[in-house]
Amino acid sequence: EKNTAESSEQVVIFEEKITKVNGEVGIKRYQRGKFLGKGGFAKCYEATNLETKKVLAAKIIAKSSLTKNRARQKLISEIKIHKSLQNTNIVQFEHVFEDHENVYILLELCSNQTLNELIKRRKRLTEIEVQCYVAQIINSLKYLHASNVIHRDLKLGNLFLNKSMELKLGDFGLATKLEFEGEKKRTICGTPNYIAPEVLDGKVGHSFEVDVWSLGVMIYAMLIGKPPFETPDVKTTYRKIRLNSYTFPEHVLISDSAKNLITRILNLDPVKRPTLDEIMSHPFMNTGGSIPKTLPLSTLACPPSASYNKQ
Ligand SMILES: CC[C@@H]1C(=O)N(C)c2cnc(-c3ccc[nH]3)nc2N1C1CCCC1
C-alpha cells in the first residue's frame, strides 16, 4: 500500500505579493522542490514558478541570519551586481523578493552542478575539454570586466554547468564594481587556494588582474586535479602563493604550451600577467584538433564531458 510518508509529504509554497501597474494586488507562487545544498547563509532548493512552470534554483536566506551589517551589505551588493549582468556564460539572475522571514533569490538552474564536482568525479580533464571551458570562462570575464566588475572569488565551485554542460559563472557575493578608471580595491577576500598574491599583500590594492590569477589557478586544477598552492593549512598556502612556490607533478602529463600558459598567468606581478585576449590567442588555446581558424570560438561545440548526474 502507498507509503504514508510520501502522501503526507507537505508541499511548500513560497509566494510573492505583487502590486500590478494598475494597482491590483496579485500573488506569484513558487513550489519548493528538492534541496540542492547550502551556500553561505542560504539554503538552496529547486523552485517551480507555478504560473510559468519554469524550474529555477532558489537561494533562501533567513533574515534572522542577516543581523550583522557586513552580511547584509554583502547580500545587497551581490544582488545589485548580479541583477545587472546578462551574458550567456553568467548564471541568469531571474528574480528577487522577500517576505517577513526570508529573502528569496531565484537563479538559472544548472543541473550538472559545478566544475568542482566534475573534477572530483573525473580526477582531471583533457586539454581539449579545458580549452573549451577556458574559452567560456574568458567570455564571461571579458563581459564582467567590461562592466567594471571584478568577481574576486573565481573557483571551480563557482563555475556551474547547465543540462547541456554549458558553463555559467555564478556567486557574486565577493564581487565589486569599480566606480572610476584605475580604482584599486583593498579589502582582503577570496578563497585561500585561488586568492591572488596582491590581495594577500593588502598594501598595493588590486584590480581585474586578480580574476586572471584565479583563472590560472583553475586551469592548473582542471589539468592536474588539484590547485597549485593547496596545503592542509591556510597559512602555508598563503606562504606558497607569496613565494610563487608550485610545481607540475611528474606523473601528470601536460603539454608544454599548457605549462607555459599557467606559468605566464601565475606571475606575482599583476601587470606582467597576460590579458584575457592574450590568453585566448595563446598556443594552448589554439592547438589540439585542427580547429579551422575561421570559426568563431563560440561555435566550437565542446567535446562531450561526462555530464554529472548520469542517473
Ligand atoms: C542556488 C545556489 C547555487 C547557484 O548559485 N546556482 C546558480 C545553482 C544553480 N543550480 C544548482 C543545481 C541544480 C541542480 C543541482 N544544483 N545549484 C546552484 N547553486 C548551488 C546550490 C547549493 C550550493 C550552490
Side-chain angles (χ1 to χ4, degrees):
E1 49 141 7
K2 181 122 175 67
N3 170 337
T4 48
E6 272 160 29
S7 56
S8 69
E9 205 156 271
Q10 96 276 36
V11 167
V12 174
I13 304 278
F14 35 88
E15 42 189 51
E16 178 192 10
K17 292 179 182 33
I18 43 177
T19 36
K20 293 176 190 155
V21 279
N22 59 9
E24 249 179 66
V25 175
I27 297 231
K28 259 189 193 172
R29 285 188 185 83
Y30 301 87
Q31 178 169 329
R32 200 183 76 181
K34 75 173 181 180
F35 181 64
L36 300 179
K38 285 180 72 67
F41 288 114
K43 283 191 176 167
C44 309
Y45 297 86
E46 280 189 3
T48 307
N49 178 321
L50 288 178
E51 196 183 326
T52 63
K53 301 297 175 218
K54 199 172 175 188
V55 186
L56 301 165
K59 265 175 105 163
I60 305 178
I61 302 107
K63 287 182 171 177
S64 55
S65 70
L66 293 174
T67 45
K68 275 193 300 205
N69 208 15
R70 215 179 104 60
R72 292 166 69 89
Q73 286 316 319
K74 192 166 169 277
L75 182 64
I76 292 166
S77 163
E78 173 181 349
I79 292 168
K80 193 167 173 227
I81 289 176
H82 198 167
K83 199 176 194 177
S84 70
L85 304 173
Q86 168 95 34
N87 177 276
T88 186
N89 291 118
I90 291 182
V91 166
Q92 188 52 48
F93 186 99
E94 295 287 342
H95 194 40
V96 58
F97 65 94
E98 60 182 290
D99 62 18
H100 197 61
E101 293 79 26
N102 303 309
V103 176
Y104 302 85
I105 299 174
L106 297 170
L107 301 166
E108 176 179 7
L109 189 74
C110 301
S111 40
N112 277 304
Q113 295 190 293
T114 74
L115 275 182
N116 212 24
E117 282 83 30
L118 186 65
I119 296 291
K120 268 190 206 140
R121 272 176 93 84
R122 292 271 308 280
K123 291 287 161 281
R124 58 182 73 92
L125 303 181
T126 65
E127 299 207 1
I128 301 269
E129 285 172 299
V130 174
Q131 288 164 8
C132 187
Y133 288 127
V134 169
Q136 295 175 77
I137 297 167
I138 288 179
N139 186 46
S140 72
L141 287 181
K142 284 185 72 167
Y143 168 84
L144 205 59
H145 292 176
S147 313
N148 285 324
V149 174
I150 318 175
H151 188 279
R152 299 203 299 186
D153 195 17
L154 275 181
K155 58 184 176 183
L156 299 180
N158 285 338
L159 294 172
F160 294 88
L161 297 164
N162 70 4
K163 62 184 179 316
S164 321
M165 294 301 276
E166 286 155 339
L167 180 138
K168 309 277 180 176
L169 173 58
D171 197 339
F172 290 84
L174 293 180
T176 185
K177 190 164 167 89
L178 298 188
E179 299 310 332
F180 56 87
E181 182 71 26
E183 179 186 359
K184 295 286 177 197
K185 291 291 177 180
R186 272 175 181 61
T187 36
I188 297 192
C189 61
T191 301
N193 274 321
Y194 296 83
I195 209 164
E198 64 270 22
V199 177
L200 291 178
D201 177 63
K203 283 195 269 321
V204 291
H206 58 267
S207 186
F208 299 111
E209 303 85 5
V210 303
D211 285 343
V212 173
W213 171 276
S214 304
L215 173 58
V217 173
M218 291 192 293
I219 295 173
Y220 179 105
M222 286 190 274
L223 290 172
I224 305 290
K226 62 179 186 49
F229 306 107
E230 186 172 71
T231 71
D233 145 71
V234 171
K235 286 271 164 282
T236 312
T237 299
Y238 287 164
R239 186 152 34 83
K240 283 174 68 97
I241 291 168
R242 271 196 294 266
L243 295 173
N244 207 232
S245 141
Y246 69 97
T247 57
F248 294 105
E250 293 298 314
H251 65 285
V252 182
L253 278 183
I254 70 170
S255 66
D256 290 344
S257 68
K259 286 182 186 159
N260 177 278
L261 177 57
I262 291 167
T263 309
R264 283 171 188 241
I265 296 177
L266 297 183
N267 193 307
L268 289 179
D269 182 350
V271 299
K272 292 207 180 86
R273 288 173 208 151
T275 63
L276 295 169
D277 285 329
E278 284 165 345
I279 296 171
M280 269 316 273
S281 40
H282 186 276
F284 171 72
M285 290 301 289
N286 299 282
T287 46
S290 54
I291 300 159
K293 297 282 168 295
T294 49
L295 273 181
L297 241 161
S298 57
T299 58
L300 173 76
C302 286
S305 294
S307 85
Y308 178 68
N309 46 9
K310 266 230 161 32
Q311 274 116 12

